[in-house]
Amino acid sequence: MGIEKIVSYADIREIASAYRTLGRSIVFTNGCFDILHAGHVTYLEEAAEQADILMIGLNSDRSVATIKGEKRPVINECYRARVLAALEFVDHIVLFDAPDPHELIEIILPDVLVKGADWSENEIVGADFVKAAGGRVERVYLLPEISTTRIIEKIVGLYCEDN
């Protein structure tokens, strides 16, 4: 269960169109989701509440390395997608190679675009496109005390203290 949620870039347009035909609203968000943690889960739960169907654009390994540096991601794209697919409120995950999801947003044409509140609306890729098509942009509060970077720093710190 869950693996069928991971869909190809080539199929996502048809899937989104089928949901729209059924009158279902789509919320889209994207991210690296490397080392999935409570902050990610809380964020995704809130995103899922914004519409009927939650679609996640997952940065591919190549995309993450471009954004975060050559030592990232820690977890490869197949495993990151599989963990996201296990979340019951996630409907579909699609990998993308670009540094940003603009093209994917245009393909899906979501009713709601969600990003973390640490992004101002004018910085959110695809916000203008979604609003021009009659959709809306929601900025979701992030748990401040947890992030993948902080988790990695803590692990590295523990490892360095032991040696």
Side-chain angles (χ1 to χ4, degrees):
M1 175 87 174
I3 198 89
E4 69 278 357
K5 294 179 179 183
I6 303 166
V7 298
S8 74
Y9 199 94
D11 291 339
I12 197 64
R13 180 187 313 269
E14 186 176 321
I15 292 167
S17 179
Y19 282 124
R20 276 194 294 283
T21 299
L22 294 170
R24 309 283 303 275
S25 60
I26 298 170
V27 58
F28 175 85
T29 193
N30 70 283
C32 301
F33 302 104
D34 196 8
I35 308 179
L36 194 68
H37 54 70
H40 290 137
V41 173
T42 301
Y43 168 81
L44 292 171
E45 282 176 326
E46 291 203 31
E49 291 175 6
Q50 303 298 318
D52 300 320
I53 302 297
L54 172 58
M55 293 186 172
I56 299 173
L58 181 63
N59 292 78
S60 69
D61 290 349
R62 183 174 14 173
S63 177
V64 175
T66 300
I67 297 165
K68 304 279 188 180
E70 66 181 43
K71 293 186 179 184
R72 299 279 301 275
V74 174
I75 309 297
N76 79 45
E77 63 193 41
C78 294
Y79 293 142
R80 290 183 288 123
R82 181 63 187 95
V83 171
L84 287 170
L87 299 174
E88 70 178 74
F89 50 82
V90 172
D91 295 291
H92 297 289
I93 300 109
V94 59
L95 286 160
F96 68 98
D97 277 328
D100 70 57
H102 196 276
E103 182 179 294
L104 187 55
I105 291 166
E106 288 186 0
I107 290 169
I108 293 171
L109 188 60
D111 300 284
V112 185
L113 177 61
V114 170
K115 202 67 183 163
D118 57 330
W119 292 81
S120 66
E121 191 167 313
N122 65 335
E123 294 176 310
I124 298 173
V125 170
D128 289 343
F129 177 80
V130 170
K131 290 191 310 188
R136 71 181 200 279
V137 175
E138 294 291 335
R139 296 168 55 242
V140 173
Y141 173 77
L142 302 175
L143 298 177
E145 66 277 358
I146 188 165
S147 72
T148 299
T149 300
R150 283 188 178 182
I151 291 168
I152 292 169
E153 288 170 350
K154 186 171 185 175
I155 291 168
V156 169
L158 290 172
Y159 177 75
C160 291
E161 289 174 10
D162 289 344
N163 290 318

